[in-house]
Amino acid sequence: MAAPLHTRAAGLDRTLFLVVPAALFMLLVFVYPFLYGLMLSFTPTEGGALANYIKFFTTDNLWPTIGTTLKLAMPATLINVGLAIPIAYQMRRKSPYQKWVTTILVVPITLGTVLIAEGMLTYFGPRGWLSQTLQFFHLYEGPIRLTHNYWGVLISLIISGFPFVFLLILSYITGIDPVLARAAATLGADPWQQFKQIYWPLLIPGIAMAFCLAFVQAFSVFPSAVLLGAPQGPTRVISIAAYEAAFEQYDYSLASAIAMLMGFVQLIIVAFVLGMRRVFYRGPVTGGKG
Amino acid sequence: MKQDFSQLRLDKVTRRFAAAGAQSIAALDNMTLTVERGEFIALLGPSGCGKSTALNCIAGLLALSDGSICLDEERIDILPPEKRGFGMVFQNYALFPHMTVRRNIGFGLLMRGESSADIERKVEAVVRLVQLQGHEDKLPGQLSGGQQQRVAIARAIVIEPPLVLMDEPLSNLDAKLRLEMRAEIRRIHRELGRTTIYVTHDQDEALSLADRIVVIKDGRVQQIAPPAEIYGQPANLDVARFMGYRNVLSLDVASQADGRAQLSSPGLRLQGMIKQPLGAKAAAAIRPEELIVGDGPNAIDGKIENVEYSGRDSLLDVITPAGIRLHVRSVVHPAVGAQVRLSVPPERVLVYPAESNQ
């Protein structure tokens, strides 16, 4: 083979300059504050460089916040992903309902966390509609406690996180060529096998991605943990600990250390999930030349 | 699922699609066809004519609006595709991108619950048949178009289906590969003798592959006949046009007798064979390659307007004094502007009733 007649010299692609504003923005509002916070976390008000981290892991109302947050974020993410997969799968074909169902499911994303929390207080509270309705029909007589505890925060995380997960997974599912499932059907695969053999393996990378994003979102829960939870007890999540350190004890250094640990835990989970993704097929999700 | 059968019968198969408003359009209208075991049937027609709809109805991927499909005595149009057990080759192959060639081909056997030893043996045999040895552990994305095509065919035939359905399987390949794969499909059909229904818009493909051709236009079956008959004796003007009768002349019927008609128009007299009952006006269809440059029966004088040289022969545009344009394929290469006399044997002038919109 002869060499190509004209190769483009390694000239600068000028569209590269379009990245500059975003890069500057990231540098100023993300990279710099992050590095500053990292430095700050190693310069405690007293003690050695690791004093904040030692303090975190030896103080009884600090280190358990990691577990508390995981106990909220993990189930919320798993439930959201678990609910989103079957619903999105049913919505994969264009249908008259698709638009409506999608709209209804996505509405919570447009409401802020605080608005959802306020609504939940009136709906799920001891004197709320849910409670009154159940009592009116004599379905459940006892008091219903779904606010100011673990369940309140979990429900709010599901409501606010679900639309996001659903939209992500829906876009992955609709990206899979439906002809593949039809081909599987002609080869004898019933609807369950079509899902298991075709959609599921092709979806795993997308689901892993959705899981990571939803988890990171849930792990940094703050307003609903305060408004709907028991911020001094079962829903004392890690962001509350950081908030208290920063704005009640005015120990920015400790708050930075807590924030770093929070990021670290998120990083471990995300790295693990994305690492798992490598095991599975990642590539085009269409069946050959289009 | 039946492994064998003697007849596949489509009876008045109709499929309507909802269109704008409350109207519905019949993409396939009253298709009736009987396929004998071992036949190679081509469904031929322009794109959008309903041939793929027909195939999808047989495969079970589309429900019928009306009519029935029977395999011998068993009615199959009510079964889902996975219960019919027909092998299907899709236009874009629809290979499972996350499975190796081996797993793609073995998929249908796996779904039938065959043992892994059986699957391995059968896959190996069919890989040899489609000449894909050495590619078994590749993913579809690592194969060329022709190889993907072979995997798709192998996947459809390894389950030993009573019926193989192919939906324009060659349309994504380049011209050379298309010819090769065409021979390949013919060879595989000859070796296995599997009943095949093949959808195509390419008349050469249909002519070279099929035992019988079903010509479809606007959802309706126009003609069902062996290739030679479709080629030589199109049942109507639409089929004739589609089969390469590029010259369609509008003429008055002067007289008709013994299946022959005398036609005339200002400056032109033609004798031809009547294919359908005629009224006062007729359309005469002639292939470009059957018009001969030189004197003979049905002589037509004209002037060369354009010459497209294509190697062995040339495509001439000839215009008569009355302004009728004729396409002629000729091994003589006259110059543009030259006066020529054309002739055509009456047996090769097919006369149909004039189209109502003319």
Side-chain angles (χ1 to χ4, degrees):
Chain A
M1 282 278 280
L5 285 177
H6 53 90
T7 50
R8 225 174 125 129
L12 196 60
D13 183 355
R14 282 190 299 160
T15 55
L16 207 60
F17 289 120
L18 292 173
V19 180
V20 169
L24 271 179
F25 185 80
M26 287 294 282
L27 208 64
L28 285 174
V29 306
F30 177 70
V31 177
Y32 172 72
F34 176 79
L35 291 176
Y36 184 83
L38 188 65
M39 294 303 295
L40 198 61
S41 74
F42 288 113
T43 48
T45 41
E46 54 198 53
L50 290 174
N52 282 329
Y53 294 92
I54 293 166
K55 187 177 178 191
F56 181 88
F57 285 108
T58 52
T59 306
D60 278 346
N61 75 346
L62 289 182
W63 64 265
T65 56
I66 292 183
T68 306
T69 319
L70 279 176
K71 241 161 63 187
L72 276 169
M74 268 298 173
T77 311
L78 287 172
I79 290 171
N80 276 338
V81 172
L83 286 177
I85 294 170
I87 299 179
Y89 187 63
Q90 288 308 314
M91 292 289 115
R92 70 190 186 283
R93 292 195 201 94
K94 277 218 168 357
S95 75
Y97 329 106
Q98 191 194 36
K99 200 166 57 182
W100 292 104
V101 175
T102 309
T103 308
I104 290 167
L105 290 176
V106 168
V107 163
I109 219 173
T110 65
L111 312 170
T113 338
V114 176
L115 190 64
I116 292 175
E118 295 291 341
M120 280 181 59
L121 283 175
T122 24
Y123 182 77
F124 287 111
R127 302 286 310 143
W129 295 353
L130 180 68
S131 183
Q132 290 193 20
T133 310
L134 289 181
Q135 280 166 8
F136 180 79
F137 289 107
H138 301 287
L139 290 170
Y140 182 77
E141 302 291 344
I144 291 167
R145 298 197 183 282
L146 289 174
T147 50
H148 300 298
N149 60 12
Y150 173 83
W151 298 108
V153 183
L154 185 68
I155 293 172
S156 122
L157 280 179
I158 291 169
I159 293 176
S160 58
F162 177 80
F164 185 67
V165 179
F166 171 73
L167 283 182
L168 266 176
I169 292 181
L170 182 66
S171 77
Y172 280 113
I173 286 185
T174 49
I176 294 174
D177 189 351
V179 174
L180 295 178
R182 304 170 83 193
T186 62
L187 291 165
D190 58 33
W192 166 244
Q193 290 287 359
Q194 291 168 32
F195 175 76
K196 189 178 144 208
Q197 303 280 350
I198 311 299
Y199 275 96
W200 178 245
L202 292 175
L203 262 184
I204 286 178
I207 290 174
M209 195 56 96
F211 181 93
C212 286
L213 292 172
F215 173 77
V216 166
Q217 222 181 24
F219 195 78
S220 52
V221 55
F222 181 72
S224 57
V226 175
L227 294 169
L228 283 162
Q232 293 313 315
T235 72
R236 189 179 149 77
V237 293
I238 194 163
S239 57
I240 293 180
Y243 173 83
E244 283 177 1
F247 299 110
E248 288 174 15
Q249 297 156 25
Y250 297 105
D251 187 346
Y252 286 113
S253 177
L254 177 63
S256 297
I258 297 174
M260 288 302 146
L261 285 167
M262 183 172 157
F264 186 66
V265 174
Q266 291 173 334
L267 193 68
I268 289 176
I269 304 281
V270 169
F272 174 75
V273 172
L274 293 187
M276 291 293 291
R277 208 166 72 122
R278 288 169 165 275
V279 182
F280 299 98
Y281 167 85
R282 283 176 303 164
V285 286
T286 52
K289 303 192 155 188
Chain B
M1 272 178 278
K2 306 182 73 158
Q3 285 299 315
D4 206 352
F5 71 104
S6 62
Q7 254 190 359
L8 172 81
R9 280 196 315 280
L10 280 71
D11 188 31
K12 300 195 180 97
V13 171
T14 301
R15 168 68 202 202
R16 282 182 282 269
F17 287 102
Q23 294 286 315
S24 70
I25 292 175
L28 190 65
D29 197 0
N30 273 307
M31 179 172 181
T32 296
L33 172 70
T34 303
V35 180
E36 303 293 332
R37 181 180 182 283
E39 262 192 312
F40 197 117
I41 299 284
L43 305 185
L44 175 66
S47 63
C49 73
K51 56 194 190 299
S52 288
T53 305
L55 200 72
N56 284 325
C57 284
I58 299 171
L61 298 171
L62 274 179
L64 307 192
S65 305
D66 224 329
S68 66
I69 303 175
C70 294
L71 207 53
D72 293 335
E73 298 316 313
E74 190 193 353
R75 191 159 167 195
I76 59 156
D77 57 281
I78 39 183
L79 297 176
E82 63 267 22
K83 293 272 161 50
R84 300 194 191 185
F86 300 158
M88 181 147 175
V89 180
F90 291 81
Q91 186 170 6
N92 68 354
Y93 318 143
L95 300 181
F96 308 132
H98 56 299
M99 297 185 190
T100 59
V101 168
R102 193 192 302 280
R103 283 189 59 212
N104 260 287
I105 296 175
F107 186 83
L109 300 170
L110 187 73
M111 290 298 109
R112 280 161 172 69
E114 301 210 8
S115 73
S116 48
D118 279 351
I119 295 178
E120 199 173 325
R121 183 173 51 76
K122 289 182 181 177
V123 169
E124 200 185 319
V126 80
V127 161
R128 217 175 308 122
L129 180 74
V130 298
Q131 299 167 354
L132 271 175
Q133 297 100 319
H135 300 290
E136 293 94 331
D137 294 314
K138 290 183 182 169
L139 290 173
Q142 297 167 294
L143 301 177
S144 69
Q147 290 167 334
Q148 292 189 16
Q149 176 59 262
R150 286 162 201 264
V151 177
I153 293 172
R155 189 177 67 174
I157 58 178
V158 74
I159 57 176
E160 298 176 19
L163 190 60
V164 181
L165 307 171
M166 299 194 179
D167 190 1
E168 308 222 18
L170 305 184
S171 61
N172 284 343
L173 302 177
D174 62 56
K176 181 170 168 287
L177 207 49
R178 203 176 307 157
L179 284 179
E180 274 175 40
M181 286 309 297
R182 195 157 98 187
E184 197 82 332
I185 288 173
R186 187 75 220 173
R187 176 179 68 85
I188 291 168
H189 179 252
R190 206 172 45 237
E191 282 181 26
L192 301 181
R194 298 237 164 264
T195 316
T196 304
I197 300 182
Y198 185 103
V199 162
T200 180
H201 63 265
D202 182 322
Q203 20 147 330
D204 290 339
E205 247 170 52
L207 290 171
S208 62
L209 286 171
D211 299 319
R212 279 195 301 155
I213 296 175
V214 180
V215 183
I216 304 177
K217 185 179 181 262
D218 297 336
R220 290 210 177 78
V221 172
Q222 305 291 319
Q223 188 174 8
I224 304 176
E229 195 179 325
I230 296 267
Y231 185 84
Q233 310 294 331
N236 61 39
L237 200 53
D238 286 325
V239 179
R241 275 218 184 83
F242 197 68
M243 294 313 298
Y245 289 76
R246 282 187 68 197
N247 300 303
V248 176
L249 311 177
S250 184
L251 300 132
D252 295 321
V253 179
S255 69
Q256 42 180 318
D258 304 333
R260 291 190 175 221
Q262 295 290 340
L263 308 172
S264 69
S265 76
L268 187 64
R269 293 185 64 80
L270 274 181
Q271 192 184 52
M273 314 304 289
I274 300 172
K275 308 307 295 178
Q276 280 176 312
L278 297 178
K281 289 203 163 273
I286 309 165
R287 275 179 193 287
E289 54 271 33
E290 279 161 352
L291 280 165
I292 301 156
V293 178
D295 205 2
N298 282 334
I300 308 167
D301 289 318
K303 197 174 86 173
I304 306 279
E305 200 189 46
N306 192 22
V307 178
E308 267 176 53
Y309 177 71
S310 62
R312 200 182 66 82
D313 53 13
S314 290
L315 190 64
L316 317 177
D317 281 359
V318 176
I319 197 146
T320 69
I324 299 166
R325 185 187 307 271
L326 293 163
H327 304 283
V328 183
R329 200 166 269 291
S330 162
V331 287
V332 295
H333 309 285
V336 174
Q339 290 288 335
V340 287
R341 170 161 285 191
L342 304 173
S343 61
V344 54
E347 300 75 46
R348 299 311 307 144
V349 178
L350 308 184
V351 184
Y352 301 94
E355 286 159 310
S356 49
N357 57 358
Q358 283 191 347

